[in-house]
Amino acid sequence: MAASGVGSNLRNLVERGFNIVAVATNRPSCGAATFSRGRRIPLGELPQKTFGSAELRDIAMRDFFMRHRVELVVDAGYDRVHTKPFLDAFEGRIINIHPSLLPEFGGGMDAVEQAIESGAKATGATVHVVTDAVDAGPILVQEAVPILEGDTVETLRQRIHEAEYRILPVAIGLMEAKLANSSTVG
Ligand code: GAR
C-alpha cells in the first residue's frame, strides 16, 4: 500500500484480514506510517526531499515493493502521482481509492471540499485502476454518498470513509480474481 494520510483505510483492511505485505509513504510522520510500525508491517519511508526527482523516488518505491513481493499496489490517501518507472513495473496492478464519484471532483486531494462547495446533492467514493491519466483509469467500484443539509467537510468525509471501507475490499477481491485468471492463462 502507498499512503500519506491518516491510514484508516489501511487499518480497515488489516482488521478485515487482508495481507498487507508492505506500506510505502512519502510522509514518515503520517498516521498510516505510525499504524504500520505498530503492526510491524514493513514500512518504506520515502520522503521526496531525499530524492533528486519524482522518478528516483518511484524507483525506490518500486524496488521496495518488489523486494516484498507485492502483487497489488493499493493507493489509499497517497498524495503523489506515480511516474513511469513505477507505472511500468506494476502496470494493471495499481488501484486507487478516491473520495468522489469520478470523474467528478478528480485530480487532487480536496475532493470532499470541492463537493461541499459545488452545492451538489451527492458525491461518493470510487476505486479505479491507476494509469498515467490521473484519476481517470478504469473504474472498479463506486458508491454514492448523499450530501445532507448542514454537512461539513468533516461529517461528509466521515460518511465517505465508511463507503470506502465497504468498496475497497470489494475492489481488491475483483483485482485478485482478475490477476489469478491472468496468471493461469498461457
Ligand atoms: C481517503 O478518503 C482517500 O479516498 C483519499 O484520502 C483519504 C485517505 O484516508 N484520497 C484522495 O483524496 C486521493 N486523491 P485514510 O488515510 O484514512 O485512508
Side-chain angles (χ1 to χ4, degrees):
M1 172 174 286
S4 316
V6 172
S8 67
N9 277 289
L10 169 62
R11 174 188 294 273
N12 178 57
L13 292 180
V14 168
E15 286 174 354
R16 285 172 180 246
F18 284 85
N19 181 20
I20 311 294
V21 295
V23 173
T25 187
N26 56 323
R27 301 190 187 280
S29 60
C30 76
T34 306
F35 179 83
S36 303
R37 289 185 201 100
R39 296 294 175 113
R40 304 252 186 280
I41 300 169
L43 178 66
E45 301 185 33
L46 308 168
Q48 183 60 59
K49 62 172 187 275
T50 60
F51 298 96
S53 67
E55 283 78 9
L56 289 171
R57 178 204 67 218
D58 276 1
I59 287 167
M61 193 189 288
R62 176 196 69 192
D63 293 349
F64 170 72
F65 280 160
M66 283 184 158
R67 262 201 315 284
H68 289 282
R69 302 187 191 287
V70 167
E71 289 168 9
L72 175 69
V73 176
V74 177
D75 290 346
Y78 182 57
D79 65 7
R80 303 282 113 173
V81 173
H82 297 299
T83 59
K84 193 168 164 34
F86 192 87
L87 290 170
D88 285 352
F90 290 101
E91 193 185 350
R93 292 188 294 139
I94 312 170
I95 62 174
N96 176 49
I97 185 145
H98 187 82
S100 75
L101 290 179
L102 288 173
E104 290 282 290
F105 313 129
M109 296 301 291
D110 61 348
V112 184
E113 289 83 347
Q114 283 187 52
I116 291 270
E117 279 161 24
S118 74
K121 293 266 181 285
T123 181
T126 301
V127 184
H128 66 95
V129 178
V130 172
T131 64
D132 58 1
V134 175
D135 289 340
I139 290 172
L140 292 166
V141 195
Q142 291 187 302
E143 183 175 322
V145 175
I147 302 177
L148 306 175
E149 194 82 20
D151 251 344
T152 62
V153 168
E154 285 65 38
T155 58
L156 180 58
R157 194 190 308 283
Q158 182 55 42
R159 290 206 315 288
I160 292 174
H161 260 129
E162 283 157 18
E164 292 185 342
Y165 305 152
R166 288 188 285 273
I167 67 170
L168 186 53
V170 172
I172 292 172
L174 290 174
M175 288 300 291
E176 281 172 344
K178 191 171 156 219
L179 295 174
N181 282 339
S182 64
S183 64
T184 53
V185 175

